[in-house]
Amino acid sequence: MTILDSCMGTHVLVFPYPAQGHLIPTLDLTHQLATSGLTITILVTPKNLPLLNPILSKHPSIQTLILPFPSHNLIPPGAENAKDLPPNYTPIIAQALCQLYEPLLDWFKSHPSPPRIIISDILLGWTQTLACQLNIRNIVFSPSGAMALSVIYTLWTNLPKKDINDQVLLSSIPNCPTIRWENISSMYRNYIKKDDSLSKVWMDLFLGDMASWGLIFNSFSEMERVYLDHLKRQLGHDRVWAVGPLLPCNDKDTGACRPAERGGASSVSVEGVTTWLDKCKDHSVVYICFGSQAVLRNSQIAEIASGLEKSGVHFIWCVKEPTAAQGSGGSYGRIPSGFENRVAGRGLVIRGWVPQVVTLGHRAIGAFLTHCGWNSVLEGVVAGVPMLAWPMTADQFSDAFLLVNVLNVGITVCEGADTVPNSAELAKVFVKSVSENLVERTRAKQLSKAALDAIKDEGSSAKDFDCLVHHLVQTKL
Ligand code: UDX
């Protein structure tokens, strides 16, 4: 009997969180699960449905379950699409999604052969209660890394923390003895200090996650083994699978599940980007992109622009502009006038969506200035590109710590969403980052090889994925 045969009849419900940085890796995981022969239903909010077209055309057997994005008086109307979600709304949206509990329960009860397993995003911890009620299994998918989750786990499982020394708590995590309280996003620090309803939402979600039957990470053992082992010890079981990096290279056929245009419009085509890069020398271009949600202010954009001008380096800079649902975009910074003329020939400014994986994979990219969202981190690791870290929120601070202090593939340039970097300092880092013999580049190349080895047959992530599928198949019995 082949693995495909044994998977037949195992029905899994995949429930992504509807924000780009969560949806992208969840779809990549879904693609792998469907390739293994599992029967998949994926839950999607109405406006995210078009983002599923690539995976649905590759796997027509995947069923979609469209549940309405819940109304909530704090979420701007029209913000149901992954790329329209406003930044910093995570706990509010997570809270609103709990309203899907009853409709989902009804769906399970009326389905002729309902899923026996839910794989849900880490921000949907309430699915654990649903799974218990239905007497089925819930497995959590974390789009963040294991170190980041170790930090959050340590903080939230120690609530209420009125008289606990924060630094002592963090020092209990292996391999991050020097992580400072300030290295933790204020998004987490604020919510764990307060007794308000959103803090409670966070904690309930998180405790639900930790009670789940298992945890899937978009990570790989060679990069995060100590944190994966730490979590296994904390959870008291071994059902923690690191199956990453979940990237297009995982798709051994065509990579068709991740078309570059998936995330939205762009001022430059994929061909436009590669043609421009083709003219540049190896490792000579600094690539700048802050993920799908970060919004930079005028003062921050002005310093980056000035730093690029002073440095003289080649660069590609992705600048986000507000979507219709985000309104007039008062907080969005604009590129200073005349900048593009002054750097003509050595800089490409892209408004909208960059084909990031393609860009990072080009031989001309020498460094990546990133907000350290976990997907960007993994994409940078796979590309073997040293990273210039500017963490802004959420898990990004511990991701940056991992890159710079543990893995030695990154250089810190700035910290915090409100911090305005200094253009002269930036210019120095840009120049250094494309220099020959950069230690971080050598290390990044080694880590890239480890990442690609992990997802080959017999690699650590391939083995963890097979083990996961084995568990899923057994669950139907
Ligand atoms: C969020 C959080 O910020 C992150 O910390 C968390 O781990 C996952 O969710 P986001 O801020 O969007 O994600 O950053 P990131 O994790 O880097 O994900 C962005 C994804 O969109 C990446 O896969 C990136 O390749 C893609 N992207 C983004 C593009 O392809 N083009 C763009 O222009 C912007």
Side-chain angles (χ1 to χ4, degrees):
M1 192 160 75
T2 66
I3 180 93
L4 273 173
D5 293 331
S6 64
C7 287
M8 297 286 280
T10 303
H11 189 182
V12 179
L13 177 74
V14 177
F15 190 174
Y17 178 80
Q20 204 82 341
H22 293 245
L23 194 60
I24 287 175
T26 311
L27 292 181
D28 291 332
L29 175 70
T30 306
H31 159 60
Q32 264 191 244
L33 293 171
T35 306
S36 297
L38 295 162
T39 303
I40 310 272
T41 298
I42 184 160
L43 202 151
V44 61
T45 53
K47 287 192 178 177
N48 277 338
L49 192 55
L51 295 176
L52 268 60
N53 284 340
I55 192 168
L56 295 180
S57 61
K58 189 161 174 63
H59 300 285
S61 66
I62 294 180
Q63 299 288 310
T64 50
L65 170 60
I66 305 172
L67 284 180
F69 190 87
S71 63
H72 192 292
N73 58 8
L74 291 175
I75 300 173
E80 297 98 84
N81 189 300
K83 64 181 188 299
D84 291 340
L85 293 176
N88 305 323
Y89 270 68
T90 309
I92 294 165
I93 293 163
Q95 185 185 35
L97 288 167
C98 300
Q99 292 167 23
L100 297 179
Y101 189 101
E102 292 297 332
L104 205 45
L105 186 62
D106 292 344
W107 177 81
F108 266 92
K109 286 184 172 165
S110 62
H111 197 289
S113 53
R116 302 295 303 152
I117 305 130
I118 305 175
I119 297 182
S120 58
D121 186 276
I122 196 151
L123 294 178
L124 303 163
W126 52 269
T127 53
Q128 173 60 18
T129 312
L130 181 74
C132 286
Q133 188 169 351
L134 292 162
N135 197 22
I136 62 173
R137 283 178 176 165
N138 186 47
I139 298 178
V140 168
F141 173 61
S142 170
S144 311
M147 179 188 182
L149 200 65
S150 299
V151 169
I152 303 167
Y153 180 92
T154 304
L155 296 176
W156 266 310
T157 47
N158 285 287
L159 281 172
K161 46 194 303 318
K162 307 234 181 303
D163 52 4
I164 296 176
N165 178 326
D166 309 318
Q167 200 62 61
V168 170
L169 273 183
L170 294 173
S171 65
S172 67
I173 303 166
N175 240 28
C176 53
T178 59
I179 198 164
R180 289 169 293 123
W181 184 237
E182 305 79 64
N183 291 125
I184 308 301
S185 166
S186 61
M187 175 173 153
Y188 298 151
R189 281 189 274 146
N190 291 345
Y191 285 117
I192 61 173
K193 293 281 184 191
K194 288 192 251 167
D195 287 330
D196 63 8
S197 64
L198 284 183
S199 300
K200 180 156 170 30
V201 170
W202 271 131
M203 190 167 82
D204 288 349
L205 289 179
F206 190 69
L207 295 180
D209 290 331
M210 293 303 116
S212 70
W213 193 71
L215 262 176
I216 306 170
F217 280 97
N218 184 13
S219 186
F220 59 104
S221 183
E222 290 73 9
M223 181 164 159
E224 290 208 288
R225 181 173 288 117
V226 286
Y227 310 112
L228 291 161
D229 288 346
H230 174 69
L231 284 168
K232 286 178 190 170
R233 281 195 300 277
Q234 298 290 315
L235 296 170
H237 64 73
D238 274 350
R239 293 181 303 277
V240 175
W241 302 282
V243 300
L246 291 164
L247 292 169
C249 55
N250 265 13
D251 182 350
K252 296 186 178 80
D253 313 326
T254 61
C257 286
R258 297 194 59 165
E261 70 274 15
R262 171 163 83 187
S266 176
S267 63
V268 181
S269 67
V270 182
E271 294 70 31
V273 175
T274 50
T275 306
W276 190 89
L277 282 168
D278 284 347
K279 294 183 197 127
C280 300
K281 286 195 214 138
D282 288 4
H283 310 317
S284 65
V285 178
V286 175
Y287 166 59
I288 305 175
C289 182
F290 301 106
S292 65
Q293 285 193 291
V295 173
L296 267 65
R297 298 196 312 273
N298 270 324
S299 52
Q300 295 167 314
I301 293 208
E303 289 299 310
I304 296 175
S306 170
L308 288 167
E309 275 195 71
K310 287 176 185 150
S311 71
V313 299
H314 282 64
F315 66 88
I316 289 185
W317 183 6
C318 174
V319 182
K320 295 284 176 279
E321 291 182 337
T323 60
Q326 287 162 337
S328 63
S331 58
Y332 279 75
R334 306 273 170 186
I335 296 282
S337 72
F339 170 74
E340 283 162 88
N341 289 336
R342 291 195 293 278
V343 294
R346 69 174 174 90
L348 182 64
V349 175
I350 301 181
R351 291 176 173 76
W353 193 257
V354 178
Q356 176 155 301
V357 174
V358 176
T359 306
L360 276 171
H362 197 285
R363 55 154 189 82
I365 298 297
F368 177 18
L369 173 53
T370 170
H371 70 316
C372 303
W374 190 244
N375 299 292
S376 293
V377 164
L378 285 176
E379 288 158 9
V381 164
V382 167
V385 171
M387 282 169 264
L388 308 178
W390 180 353
M392 300 201 178
T393 184
D395 55 338
Q396 297 154 16
F397 286 81
S398 49
D399 298 348
F401 185 90
L402 181 70
L403 291 176
V404 175
N405 299 84
V406 182
L407 301 168
N408 305 316
V409 297
I411 300 168
T412 305
V413 296
C414 197
E415 285 184 317
D418 295 325
T419 308
V420 180
N422 174 284
S423 62
E425 295 298 322
L426 278 178
K428 275 191 222 155
V429 178
F430 290 149
V431 171
K432 178 180 171 187
S433 73
V434 292
S435 62
E436 289 297 319
N437 306 323
L438 186 74
V439 169
E440 288 81 3
R441 176 165 304 107
T442 310
R443 187 69 197 104
K445 296 280 177 218
Q446 291 163 349
L447 195 58
S448 164
K449 180 171 182 323
L452 295 173
D453 285 348
I455 54 178
K456 282 185 188 152
D457 289 345
E458 296 302 311
S460 61
S461 293
K463 281 187 185 160
D464 264 22
F465 184 77
D466 289 347
C467 179
L468 166 68
V469 170
H470 179 74
H471 277 289
L472 296 178
V473 170
Q474 285 191 328
T475 303
K476 79 173 174 209
L477 302 173

